[in-house]
Amino acid sequence: MTELTAEQHRVKMQRRQEVQHQRIAERKLEKGLIIVNTGDGKGKTTAALGMVLRSLGHGYKVAIVQFIKGAWEPAEKKVFEMWQDQLVFKALGEGFTWETQDRDRDIAKTKEAWEVGLGYIKNPEYKLVLLDEVNIALKLGYLDVETVIAGLKEKPADSHVILTGRGAPTKLIEVADLVTRMELVKHPFREQGVKAQAGIEF
C-alpha cells in the first residue's frame, strides 16, 4: 500500500467528513429500540450496563430485571445504589440452572421475573429496561418467545429494552432494532483454568 502525502490524507479525511455529516443530517428519526446482546463471547451484560449508565447520566429512569443469575449479588448492584431515585434493580433468578437443579421452580421464577419486567416495559416513566439473561430463559424454554415479543410491542414508542444472554432465538433477533453477537475468541477460564475474578466477571 502506497503512503499518502499529508495533503492527500487531508483531502481524503475531508471527503470522509463530508460523507459522514451528510449521513448524520439525513437521519432524523427517533424511536425506542429493542436491543439484543447475544453470542458465546463475554460482555453482553457489561455492554448493556454501559447503556444503563448513559441513561442514568441523562437523568432517565431505568429498570434492571435479572433472570437466572439472581442468586449472587453483582458488584454493579452496589455501584448503582447511588442512583436509587432513578434505578430499580430486581434480581429475580435463583442462580444458574445447574445450581438450582429444579426445572419447575426455575420456570416459575422466570415467569415471575417476566411479569415484573413487563410491568416496567409498559410503564412510560422508564426510558430503559434491561432484561438480563432473558435470552437463556428463552433458549431453555422457560419462557415463550411469542410472549416476550407480544410484551415488547406494548412498550412506549420512545423507550428502549435490552435483552441479554446467549442463544437469542431467531424470532427475537428478527424483531430487534439493534443486535450484537459477541464472538468468543479466547477465554482464560477455558484455556488457562483461571477462575472468575472480582472486577472482571462479577
Side-chain angles (χ1 to χ4, degrees):
M1 190 173 103
T2 56
E3 287 285 322
L4 297 177
T5 66
E7 178 58 18
Q8 288 171 326
H9 176 77
R10 187 192 66 75
V11 170
K12 183 178 178 180
M13 291 303 109
Q14 186 177 25
R15 281 195 200 122
R16 186 174 288 177
Q17 183 184 51
E18 288 166 3
V19 168
Q20 195 61 27
H21 285 172
Q22 184 179 348
R23 283 180 181 159
I24 291 169
E26 289 169 354
R27 280 142 180 89
K28 301 183 187 316
L29 180 65
E30 279 190 39
K31 64 174 280 194
L33 302 176
I34 296 170
I35 301 164
V36 174
N37 291 350
T38 193
D40 293 332
K42 194 174 156 34
K44 297 175 284 293
T45 297
T46 304
L49 292 174
M51 291 187 199
V52 166
L53 281 172
R54 282 187 194 139
S55 292
L56 293 171
H58 282 288
Y60 300 140
K61 290 189 80 168
V62 177
I64 299 173
V65 179
Q66 281 195 320
F67 293 71
I68 310 294
K69 61 185 184 186
W72 53 280
E73 289 288 304
E76 296 95 353
K77 189 171 182 181
K78 197 180 296 182
V79 172
F80 285 140
E81 286 174 0
M82 292 189 289
W83 286 278
Q84 286 182 8
D85 295 339
Q86 284 175 254
L87 177 74
V88 174
F89 195 122
K90 301 277 186 185
L92 296 173
E94 292 188 323
F96 295 100
T97 51
W98 60 85
E99 291 169 344
T100 62
Q101 300 176 18
D102 186 339
R103 181 177 168 81
D104 291 341
R105 189 167 174 81
D106 287 343
I107 291 170
K109 293 301 286 184
T110 297
K111 288 183 176 174
E112 177 191 338
W114 168 247
E115 289 303 321
V116 170
L118 182 59
Y120 292 118
I121 288 169
K122 292 160 73 171
N123 186 337
E125 290 184 22
Y126 287 87
K127 183 75 167 179
L128 176 67
V129 178
L130 166 56
L131 304 178
D132 188 38
E133 301 294 358
V134 71
N135 295 339
I136 292 179
L138 290 166
K139 180 182 173 187
L140 292 171
Y142 292 0
L143 196 57
D144 179 55
V145 68
E146 301 291 354
T147 300
V148 171
I149 290 170
L152 293 172
K153 288 177 180 173
E154 295 188 61
K155 76 173 191 62
D158 62 346
S159 67
H160 312 293
V161 181
I162 310 174
L163 305 96
T164 70
R166 62 182 62 202
T170 304
K171 286 183 179 179
L172 179 61
I173 288 171
E174 286 171 357
V175 302
D177 300 291
L178 172 61
V179 179
T180 302
R181 192 180 304 280
M182 309 293 189
E183 179 188 359
L184 178 63
V185 179
K186 291 175 74 175
H187 199 299
F189 181 83
R190 290 184 181 180
E191 279 85 18
Q192 301 172 47
V194 177
K195 69 177 185 177
Q197 300 179 87
I200 305 297
E201 277 81 19
F202 59 90

